[in-house]
Amino acid sequence: YDELEPFFDKAEKVFGTSGTAWSIKGKVVGKGRGGNAFAPDRSDDFPLPAQKNTWSAQLFEKAALEVGYHPYNLPSANTSDSYTNPYGAQMGPCNFCGFCSGYACYMYSKASPNVNILPALRQEKRFELRTNANVLKVNLTDDKSRATGVTYVDGQGREMEQPADLVIIGAFQFHNVHLMLLSGIGKPYNPETGEGVVGRNFAYQNMTTIKAIFDKGTYTNPFIGAGGNGVGVDDFNADNFDHGAAGFVGGSPFWVNQAGTKPISGFPVPPGTPAWGSKWKAAVADTYTHHLSMDAHGAHQSYRQNYLDLDPNYKNVFGQPLLRMTFDWQENDIKMAQFMFDKMAPIAKAMKPKYI
Ligand code: SF4
């Protein structure tokens, strides 16, 4: 952590992260202010104070305190105020528009390369951004010891080659693996023998959700919210608790993270509601503005049987094999999810909702 911390600090300043520090250089500053008692020491504060909390997060915080847990403001890469990062890139304050996950931010309030880094790169005379380009493969020397460039399809559908001394594969988890497999870089993982590394150790996220539905006097307005905003509890995260009797490894934070419940994606209804028709519609209209969702969003381990490889049947628009994910939940994941449900349910009950 000591080696990594300066890079976390730098990244937070580049991204305009909002949050409440617990301790800075050994001095506790976050007690009673929404800091996380389980957080490790920091070299500096977050560049912006924590965002305001939605009503649902405030209900969660109060209930978690009643249960005896240690709620804290979730740090978020959404801006609580206007901000200029060390590269001179400017961000506006987040307005809790509710369309955060899966959408670009029209307020420049959500950290991403196009908001926080590309504006600075564009000042570089030698920098060129080629949009709508799809890299098909990284080209290699005959002995595969070095990259010599990339082959890509440009915005007009023409196949192009870009020579290069250095190629950085920065296309996120799946596409990085896909490009490496398509390019013949490294040894593909073989789940039968356990040999090979490309596509091995695929790990996902382990999510357990409790929804609470309140009476009509409690408005949670789930159409507002921001991607990372909310209140969390780390009492059962990582090694913050004794795993002795638990029978699993790993842990999980709990949180109310009201990111914005968008049409179709989130329509909770009371137990016993039919899955379609006028009764379902009435239940949706009745409950939508009166519900909240809390999640345990936990660790997921690597397993021999969870991996990525090239699909033997299906191809993309360029005629290349698609990436295939082979995945299933394992005993440790299920035990952890059940444990987390048992530890999170008291928070939901302390809120005294109409239904859980
Ligand atoms: S909720 Fe997300 S998308 Fe909306 S203004 Fe805030 S950061 Fe931007």
Side-chain angles (χ1 to χ4, degrees):
Y1 176 75
D2 288 345
E3 285 175 18
L4 283 172
E5 198 277 342
F7 299 98
F8 289 146
D9 180 65
K10 181 177 178 183
E12 285 166 352
K13 283 172 178 153
V14 170
F15 299 152
T17 310
S18 307
T20 310
W22 175 260
S23 74
I24 301 172
K25 295 193 177 117
K27 189 170 174 236
V28 173
V29 294
K31 199 170 182 181
R33 295 177 50 242
N36 179 6
F38 297 99
D41 193 47
R42 304 170 55 93
S43 60
D44 200 359
D45 207 344
F46 289 95
L48 286 171
Q51 290 186 283
K52 289 199 167 24
N53 286 321
T54 57
W55 183 235
S56 59
Q58 292 178 43
L59 290 173
F60 179 84
E61 182 181 26
K62 183 170 170 285
L65 283 170
E66 277 169 34
V67 173
Y69 298 158
H70 301 82
Y72 63 95
N73 297 322
L74 286 174
S76 60
N78 309 101
T79 44
S80 58
D81 204 342
S82 51
Y83 181 70
T84 304
N85 82 0
Y87 301 139
Q90 296 180 327
M91 304 177 81
C94 163
N95 70 1
F96 289 75
C97 79
F99 279 81
C100 208
S101 310
Y103 299 88
C105 175
Y106 58 95
M107 299 290 287
Y108 292 77
S109 310
K110 177 166 61 176
S112 67
N114 58 317
V115 170
N116 302 77
I117 295 167
L118 286 179
L121 277 177
R122 291 175 96 125
Q123 308 301 319
E124 285 283 330
K125 283 197 178 64
R126 294 187 305 162
F127 176 76
E128 184 189 337
L129 175 69
R130 291 185 199 159
T131 54
N132 294 319
N134 279 284
V135 174
L136 302 179
K137 64 181 166 94
V138 179
N139 301 319
L140 306 173
T141 53
D142 288 342
D143 66 356
K144 296 193 171 186
S145 66
R146 283 189 66 83
T148 58
V150 296
T151 300
Y152 70 98
V153 175
D154 75 3
Q156 282 81 51
R158 297 171 299 192
E159 193 167 308
M160 313 289 274
E161 195 176 325
Q162 176 61 52
D165 293 330
L166 177 67
V167 174
I168 297 172
I169 302 182
F172 293 101
Q173 183 186 29
F174 290 112
H175 206 52
N176 284 347
V177 175
H178 196 207
L179 271 176
M180 289 178 77
L181 291 170
L182 291 173
S183 310
I185 298 172
K187 190 172 178 184
Y189 173 60
N190 180 336
E192 304 298 328
T193 63
E195 289 173 346
V197 292
V198 184
R200 179 181 184 167
N201 290 341
F202 172 68
Y204 190 55
Q205 52 189 341
N206 192 340
M207 211 148 160
T208 305
T209 297
I210 297 179
K211 288 188 191 298
I213 297 173
F214 298 89
D215 66 29
K216 287 190 180 169
T218 302
Y219 284 89
T220 54
N221 291 344
F223 45 85
I224 65 163
N229 170 252
V231 168
V233 163
D234 266 2
D235 294 59
F236 302 97
N237 197 3
D239 282 335
N240 296 345
F241 66 106
D242 183 0
H243 286 65
F248 63 86
V249 296
S252 176
F254 312 148
W255 58 52
V256 161
N257 159 224
Q258 188 166 309
T261 309
K262 298 172 288 289
I264 311 291
S265 74
F267 279 159
V269 287
T273 307
W276 68 89
S278 54
K279 283 196 176 140
W280 176 79
K281 283 186 195 166
V284 168
D286 238 20
T287 54
Y288 178 73
T289 46
H290 310 289
H291 85 278
L292 65 78
S293 194
M294 65 183 76
D295 311 302
H297 201 146
H300 184 252
Q301 312 304 322
S302 299
Y303 303 95
R304 177 178 277 231
Q305 57 271 49
N306 289 344
Y307 60 96
L308 304 170
D309 68 352
L310 292 178
D311 194 288
N313 300 310
Y314 298 102
K315 296 196 182 339
N316 66 15
V317 70
F318 305 115
Q320 298 176 302
L322 289 180
L323 188 71
R324 177 171 70 171
M325 179 206 297
T326 301
F327 179 88
D328 201 0
W329 301 115
Q330 308 295 323
E331 190 186 343
N332 190 79
D333 313 326
I334 293 163
K335 273 191 178 166
M336 189 179 94
Q338 286 167 339
F339 177 92
M340 294 304 165
F341 175 86
D342 289 343
K343 298 295 182 194
M344 190 163 60
I347 309 179
K349 285 183 188 141
M351 292 178 179
K352 300 193 175 55
K354 218 157 112 187
Y355 307 102
I356 291 173

